[in-house]
Amino acid sequence: MKVQGQHFRSIWLEQESQVVMVIDQQQLPFRFEIKQLATVADAATAIADMVVRGAPLIGATAACGLLLAAAKDPSDEHLSSAADVLLAARPTAVNLRWAVERILPRILAVAPSDRFDLARIQVEELCEEDIAGNSRIGDHGFGLLQELYLQRSTEQPLNILTHCNAGWLATVDWGTALAPIFKAYDAGLQVHVWVDETRPRNQGASLTAWELQAHGVPHTLIVDNAGGHLMQRGQVDICIVGSDRTARNGDVCNKIGTYLKALAAYDNGIPFYAAVPSPTIDWSCRDGIKEIPIEERAAEEVLFITGALDDGQTVKVRIAPEGNQSANPAFDVTPHRLVTGIITDRGICGADEESLLKLYPEQRSSSEA
Ligand code: MRU
């Protein structure tokens, strides 16, 4: 995607792959800053502190963390402990585990002297696959939006509601939930996006609104509680969200608040789709509500908010009485019965095991395990 006319990915390698560069998402929308990650600890901290975030980008950063570890010390012991450090960074997005489990055995299978070179190839392959997969999600989702647009008897823009940030910043490029929107907009379809601010960290306000603005896509920022009202008024045609982990039964785990949007969409007969790249499907998880670990983040995220003063200086201010308790579950699970469909890189399917398996027949045998 482009930032002021220059093409960027959210993560890339430099200095002969000895360092990893990322867009520092803690600084957006106020400052566009690039941050360098030089060690596996840097990569794990960037994930935990949400310098990088979004399930696919967390996976790509973990892959890069293994590369940085191999650059320093390619021994079995060092790489295995690097993997443990990365796996502990955040619990919910399954892409982290997927990336580590994909790359670690491959590099351990070759001689230590070849591990760094192989890790670089693996990282590049994973990032290219991420981009291609998200682009396909964009194509499939665009078809869906076009169909919906043509079904309506109005020439008003198609109103899409999204939650959190599932745009290109959350992936290596393109995004998941936003990829169909970028493709639709580029093709000339009239779209308008309702952007949930997404408390407590405001990924909608800081990241999704920033991305859509940079691309020129018409959008309106709303508080998290406005969605239901807009749906009742007929001002939402479709909801598309991302996912951090989708269970094999079609339950969709995503940013906290997604479930409430799905309930409101269901009550109002509005289609609710999740855009889910293949690595986000956890085939070992049979029941998302019972089994997906939900990250509990620091109380500080709820008790304080960061914003910019008129002079551009960013400040963090308290918004609750001092000494207040807070709970901060970062994700929730939308039961599959509320999900109209899943937009994958292989096509769109129903949110249930049989429909998912039709797209992923190679996972059938794992269901018998
Ligand atoms: O806590 P975050 O910002 O990492 O949460 C991100 C989300 O919930 C996204 O919707 C999800 O990762 C999909 S990203 C393509």
Side-chain angles (χ1 to χ4, degrees):
M1 286 290 150
K2 288 195 170 144
V3 180
Q4 289 173 349
Q6 191 185 340
H7 180 259
F8 276 93
R9 288 180 177 183
S10 56
I11 191 164
W12 66 98
L13 304 177
E14 270 188 9
Q15 294 174 23
E16 295 175 341
S17 309
Q18 301 278 338
V19 296
V20 174
M21 310 300 280
V22 296
I23 295 169
D24 185 348
Q25 300 193 28
Q26 286 185 334
Q27 308 305 325
L28 289 170
F30 311 115
R31 282 185 301 277
F32 183 79
E33 282 180 12
I34 309 295
K35 194 167 176 139
Q36 180 176 303
L37 312 178
T39 64
V40 65
D42 288 351
T45 306
I47 294 170
D49 292 352
M50 294 174 64
V51 168
V52 291
R53 27 69 51 206
L57 181 57
I58 290 171
T61 308
C64 290
L66 287 176
L67 172 68
L68 295 172
K72 182 156 185 262
D73 171 3
S75 68
D76 284 23
E77 302 71 38
H78 183 66
L79 289 172
S80 300
S81 77
D84 290 343
V85 168
L86 291 163
L87 286 169
R90 285 189 82 186
T92 301
V94 73
N95 304 58
L96 198 166
R97 187 186 81 198
W98 169 83
V100 170
E101 286 181 354
R102 166 171 156 147
I103 292 188
L104 184 65
R106 293 183 187 180
I107 55 177
L108 289 180
V110 300
S113 55
D114 295 331
R115 287 177 180 170
F116 173 73
D117 284 340
L118 182 61
R120 194 183 56 216
I121 292 167
Q122 290 294 320
V123 164
E124 276 163 5
E125 200 175 274
L126 183 147
C127 289
E128 289 303 328
E129 277 180 28
D130 178 84
I131 297 167
N134 296 334
S135 174
R136 287 196 298 276
I137 285 178
D139 293 335
H140 298 307
F142 169 41
L144 177 71
L145 295 180
Q146 209 168 20
E147 215 175 287
L148 211 57
Y149 185 84
L150 294 173
Q151 272 169 17
R152 299 177 323 151
S153 51
T154 164
E155 288 188 1
Q156 294 298 308
L158 191 73
N159 282 303
I160 305 151
L161 183 140
T162 193
H163 191 69
C164 196
N165 172 263
W168 67 271
L169 286 165
T171 63
V172 180
D173 208 345
W174 274 115
T176 58
L178 292 196
I181 296 171
F182 289 132
K183 296 235 177 188
Y185 174 79
D186 290 347
L189 199 78
Q190 282 201 58
V191 291
H192 166 263
V193 186
W194 295 111
V195 179
D196 284 350
E197 62 176 348
T198 320
R199 277 286 290 151
R201 288 188 67 103
N202 292 323
Q203 289 95 328
S206 340
L207 306 175
T208 302
W210 181 82
E211 279 189 32
L212 293 173
Q213 187 169 315
H215 202 89
V217 181
H219 63 282
T220 306
L221 182 64
I222 50 174
V223 298
D224 288 330
N225 293 329
H229 165 74
L230 294 171
M231 291 184 207
Q232 280 178 330
R233 294 273 169 110
Q235 290 177 271
V236 178
D237 296 302
I238 181 171
C239 301
I240 311 183
V241 299
S243 175
D244 292 86
R245 191 185 296 227
T246 290
R248 72 184 297 141
N249 70 347
D251 288 350
V252 172
C253 179
N254 191 48
K255 179 52 56 193
I256 192 79
T258 302
Y259 171 42
L260 291 178
K261 294 299 137 68
L263 279 172
Y266 189 78
D267 194 41
N268 288 282
I270 293 164
F272 184 95
Y273 283 85
V276 182
S278 301
T280 303
I281 306 172
D282 183 352
W283 294 101
S284 70
C285 176
R286 291 169 182 282
D287 182 321
I289 295 171
K290 287 193 190 140
E291 295 173 28
I292 295 177
I294 300 295
E295 179 180 16
E296 182 72 31
R297 290 191 62 87
E300 194 183 270
E301 293 183 349
V302 178
L303 301 174
F304 291 82
I305 200 158
T306 299
L309 298 175
D310 285 347
D311 65 3
Q313 190 196 339
T314 50
V315 286
K316 191 163 126 186
V317 293
R318 173 181 287 281
I319 57 165
E322 241 174 278
N324 241 67
Q325 295 280 330
S326 101
N328 188 10
F331 300 96
D332 60 26
V333 180
T334 299
H336 58 99
R337 68 185 165 82
L338 300 179
V339 180
T340 312
I342 297 185
I343 310 169
T344 77
D345 36 277
R346 296 195 187 176
I348 302 179
C349 69
D352 60 87
E353 179 167 355
E354 195 45 42
S355 303
L356 277 164
L357 286 172
K358 279 195 184 126
L359 290 183
Y360 295 88
E362 74 278 14
Q363 297 293 342
R364 248 178 219 287
S365 55
S366 66
S367 71
E368 286 146 22

